[in-house]
Amino acid sequence: MIDGVTDFWDKLLGAQPDPPGLLVLLTALAGFLAVSFRPVWRVARNAVTIAHEGGHALFALLTGRRLRGIRLEFDTSGLTLSSGRPTGPGMMLTLLGGYIAPSLVGVLGAWLLGGNRITLLLWLAVALLLLMLINIRNLFGVLSLVITGAIVFAVSWWASDEVQAAFAYAGVWFLLFGGVRPVFELQALRRRGRMPESDADQLAHITHVPALFWVGFFLIVNLVAVAAGAFLLAGQWLPDTV
């Protein structure tokens, strides 16, 4: 019994072998193409929405707001409701958390991958999905999180080290790149008057700073996150490519 528990923790917290440098580069290309190719993006974007709404929820809880629920929709949109003061730092940070969350999660993942903690990364993803599931308030949201969590768990439990590495790196690259595109989509919709209550517009109402400033803020943070994530992963491919 004790040996089994020890083996489990060793597997969870231990470092996996260094992945081939080519794998890191190919998964980066796969993540970029998944974000760039519209038919793939329309499906895969759901993972970004999960991170986006999770960001709203996390910042709401960290600032003392009461989380009322999260909805994930079939069209990859989402909604996170919290109660508390309608203005002030708590509401501001809650609104800020959405568009920057996918890229920041990607940076965290890149940091773990930089230390070859692939299994730990996958299990943390499962744990976060389960915590988020508690607050989901619609059927599609439940199905989306259960299916996503089941896939991640299956890879972490049964897949080989090589498959785990490919899955983890592709997921991290996708979140890094996937945090950028929604910002451009946000501004395109705003320009056509189709998102008058966007996060950026709500921030503008609270802070009296133009919404375009907040769109630019989202973009800068996410681009810096891509650069930081690439830097953290650089050591994984440079030794094999020089």
Side-chain angles (χ1 to χ4, degrees):
M1 178 68 177
I2 296 176
D3 289 341
V5 173
T6 301
D7 291 343
F8 170 78
W9 284 109
D10 287 343
K11 179 181 178 181
L12 180 63
L13 301 177
Q16 282 69 51
D18 288 333
L22 182 61
L23 180 145
V24 182
L25 289 175
L26 289 177
T27 53
L29 178 61
F32 181 78
L33 291 176
V35 173
S36 303
F37 190 46
R38 183 180 295 272
V40 177
W41 171 246
R42 290 176 63 182
V43 177
R45 192 185 194 278
N46 190 62
V48 175
T49 302
I50 290 173
H52 178 112
E53 300 305 328
H56 283 315
L58 176 61
F59 277 90
L61 293 173
L62 290 177
T63 56
R65 298 180 61 82
R66 182 180 178 184
L67 186 61
R68 294 170 54 193
I70 303 169
R71 294 180 63 89
L72 302 172
E73 305 296 347
F74 184 75
D75 63 357
T76 72
S77 65
L79 177 66
T80 299
L81 296 174
S82 63
S83 58
R85 288 185 56 193
T87 59
M91 188 63 191
M92 179 181 169
L93 289 172
T94 299
L95 291 168
L96 279 175
Y99 277 97
I100 64 175
S103 295
L104 294 183
V105 172
V107 172
L108 174 60
W111 177 70
L112 289 171
L113 291 180
N116 289 337
R117 298 303 196 273
I118 296 171
T119 302
L120 178 59
L121 169 63
L122 296 176
W123 274 71
L124 282 175
V126 172
L128 290 173
L129 289 168
L130 288 174
L131 288 174
M132 192 172 174
L133 181 63
I134 298 171
N135 294 288
I136 293 292
R137 296 295 181 264
N138 67 320
L139 179 59
F140 179 79
V142 170
L143 292 175
S144 181
L145 287 182
V146 169
I147 292 172
T148 303
I151 293 172
V152 178
F153 175 78
V155 171
S156 70
W157 193 257
W158 287 295
S160 65
D161 288 343
E162 292 79 10
V163 173
Q164 285 190 28
F167 183 85
Y169 276 89
V172 166
W173 282 117
F174 176 75
L175 287 175
L176 288 170
F177 294 131
V180 176
R181 178 165 178 169
V183 180
F184 288 101
E185 294 176 340
L186 165 66
Q187 184 55 25
L189 290 171
R190 290 189 63 256
R191 190 167 54 246
R192 295 195 294 268
R194 294 176 57 186
M195 287 192 72
E197 296 298 323
S198 71
D199 294 348
D201 290 282
Q202 292 184 64
L203 281 165
H205 177 73
I206 292 174
T207 64
H208 305 291
V209 177
L212 189 59
F213 169 86
W214 296 110
V215 174
F217 177 83
F218 296 152
L219 181 59
I220 290 171
V221 170
N222 292 345
L223 289 175
V224 170
V226 172
F231 174 79
L232 289 167
L233 297 175
Q236 301 289 334
W237 76 65
L238 288 179
D240 287 350
T241 57
V242 295

